[in-house]
Amino acid sequence: MVNFLFSTFLALLSSIGFSIIANVPQRALLGAGMTGVCSWIAYYLLNLVYHSIVVPNFAAALVVGVLGFYLARRFRVPVTMIYVGALISLVPGGMAFSTLQKISENNLSAVLKGLFNTGCVAISLALGVGVANIFNGIFYKKKRVASER
Amino acid sequence: MTTPTSQTVYTESDIINVATEAGRLLLLGGAESFRIEETVEHIGKSLGLPLTCYVTMTAVVVSANNGVQTKLVKARISGFNLQTVDRVNSLSRDLVAGTISPDAFYVAIDDLKQRVVDFPLAVKVLSAGLVAMAPSLIGQGTGLDFVLMFFAGIIGYLCYVMTDRYSKTPYAPEFIGGFGIGLFVLMSHSLLSGSSSLSIILGAVMPLVPGLAMTNAIREIIMGDVLSGLVRSINALLVVSSLVTGVWLALEIVNFV
């Protein structure tokens, strides 16, 4: 429980911090933080239940896609600005790092496993955001025609 | 490019120039390829000259649909600057909606080209420290480790920014950043014996690793921009390799001495 609360707090800090590094406009920071926290909660809870890495990441990216799209419209920013910060706790950057580090230890099976896992996480995140876009397209169809372009 | 005054009839090259400039700014800011192409084509349509745009990771090609003129600019990506993307996006949306005139659009794009909007360096460095305390490492480190991650992240990002400012060598900033992290972790390990080096390193590289670039690359491949997606993923791979090399070199040198 302590771990859960602490990591959720860290997820908030990470999302806002990476948004600042990527230089998003200030009005997107709050949305990025909220989306990051919600997706982290989804990831953490599902990670306790499932032993696969695909399902929790997919679900978390789904949350990012739906909530991020809603908040992007709410705060009037392009949706990428929300994704950048919100996905940072999920993206397989550290995993890619430790994979390549295994090369220097000559541990081939660990390298192959790491490459496979990194690819799986990246693909499931991309698919989660993509599937969320299908829903967004259905929900916001009328409004989009009126307001965009 | 001279900025046309009001009541000027825009020539084709003016329109292509300003659309290309907007596309280049978007590319430098780190927007996705399909978004850039869409934006440039909308700008062209609303200025009265249908354009076709093609973007790879290093170039923007804009061609008029009547086949008379084409312009190609090269760009070199370094990191994200999403405020520029946001400004260009909202400007082009205003232009399409008709709330600002083409003249104002020309002036604003020109202005945006010269002025870089940015957070202060101190804020960015501090937030790199926050990113370094990665939530995915929970349970793999003690409280002390997380404090050390914060400082290691700050050191790594500071090395990265400083090298980026003074060096043009590709992948040097990531290398030096990794090297700084390695040295700091070794130092803290010898001073405070209770810290676990591996999880500190994993946390500290979080601001520098291109996890987002990898995810975006796959998104681009799904959206049909296979070329630019592949280029981005290879770039991400090289960035991670240079980080690992930096950290590894620091560890090896200290072991050796």
Side-chain angles (χ1 to χ4, degrees), chain A residues 3 6-7 10-11 13-14 17-18 20-27 29 40 44 77-81 83-84 87-89 91-94 96-98 100-101 104 118-119 122-123 125-127 129 133 148-149, chain B residues 32 35 38 42 80-83 85-86 89 93 96 117-119 123-124 127-128 130-131 133-136 138-139 146 157 198 201-202 205-207 209 211-212 214-215 218-219 222 237 240-241 243-244 247-248:
Chain A
N3 272 359
F6 187 52
S7 66
L10 286 183
L13 291 185
S14 286
F18 198 72
I20 291 176
I21 291 181
N23 213 345
V24 308
Q26 279 176 13
R27 63 185 194 283
L29 289 183
W40 177 256
Y44 192 93
V77 283
V79 71
T80 321
M81 320 269 154
Y83 288 167
V84 166
L87 284 175
I88 185 61
S89 341
V91 292
F97 182 86
S98 52
L100 283 182
Q101 209 182 18
S104 66
T118 310
I123 289 177
L125 288 178
L127 282 183
V129 172
N133 276 340
E148 270 181 42
R149 323 289 187 207
Chain B
E32 302 106 315
R35 205 175 292 273
E38 214 178 82
H42 276 291
F80 289 100
N81 186 344
L82 291 175
Q83 288 195 37
V85 176
D86 177 47
N89 245 340
R93 196 163 294 169
V96 174
V117 268
D118 211 341
F119 282 102
V123 177
K124 290 183 110 172
S127 47
L130 295 182
V131 176
M133 298 192 290
S136 50
I138 201 83
F146 275 90
Y157 190 72
L198 187 64
I201 291 177
L202 279 183
V205 294
M206 280 310 277
V209 288
L212 192 73
M214 283 193 293
T215 308
I218 290 179
R219 275 185 73 201
I222 291 176
L237 199 65
V240 181
S241 315
L243 262 173
V244 173
V247 174
W248 177 77

Side-chain angles (χ1 to χ4, degrees), chain B residues 155-170:
Chain B
I155 300 237
Y157 190 72
L158 206 59
C159 292
Y160 170 81
V161 170
M162 286 302 156
T163 318
D164 194 31
R165 194 168 288 177
Y166 296 115
S167 159
K168 288 273 173 275
T169 317

Side-chain angles (χ1 to χ4, degrees), chain A residues 19-147:
Chain A
S19 306
I20 291 176
I21 291 181
N23 213 345
V24 308
Q26 279 176 13
R27 63 185 194 283
L29 289 183
L30 182 63
M34 284 162 67
T35 317
V37 166
C38 291
S39 66
W40 177 256
I41 291 175
Y43 173 81
Y44 192 93
L45 294 181
L46 283 174
N47 203 19
L48 294 178
V49 182
Y50 285 94
H51 285 290
S52 107
I53 50 168
V54 173
V55 179
N57 280 302
F58 179 80
L62 205 64
V63 171
V64 170
V66 173
L67 191 65
F69 197 82
Y70 171 72
L71 288 176
R73 297 177 66 86
R74 183 79 200 283
F75 293 108
R76 303 196 166 275
V77 283
V79 71
T80 321
M81 320 269 154
I82 306 272
Y83 288 167
V84 166
L87 284 175
I88 185 61
S89 341
L90 306 171
V91 292
M95 205 181 264
F97 182 86
S98 52
T99 301
L100 283 182
Q101 209 182 18
K102 294 286 190 313
I103 290 181
S104 66
E105 296 166 9
N106 237 345
N107 189 346
L108 182 62
S109 60
V111 171
L112 290 180
K113 193 179 169 214
L115 279 180
F116 180 75
N117 281 347
T118 310
C120 272
V121 172
I123 289 177
S124 51
L125 288 178
L127 282 183
V129 172
V131 170
N133 276 340
I134 301 176
F135 291 131
N136 292 335
I138 296 170
F139 288 158
Y140 299 104
K141 205 166 190 179
K142 277 180 190 165
K143 270 187 180 174
R144 182 186 267 177
V145 172
S147 68

Side-chain angles (χ1 to χ4, degrees), chain B residues 129-156:
Chain B
L130 295 182
V131 176
M133 298 192 290
S136 50
L137 292 174
I138 201 83
Q140 291 178 33
T142 56
L144 174 70
D145 287 346
F146 275 90
V147 175
L148 284 175
M149 272 177 211
F150 180 75
F151 289 109
I154 285 182
I155 300 237

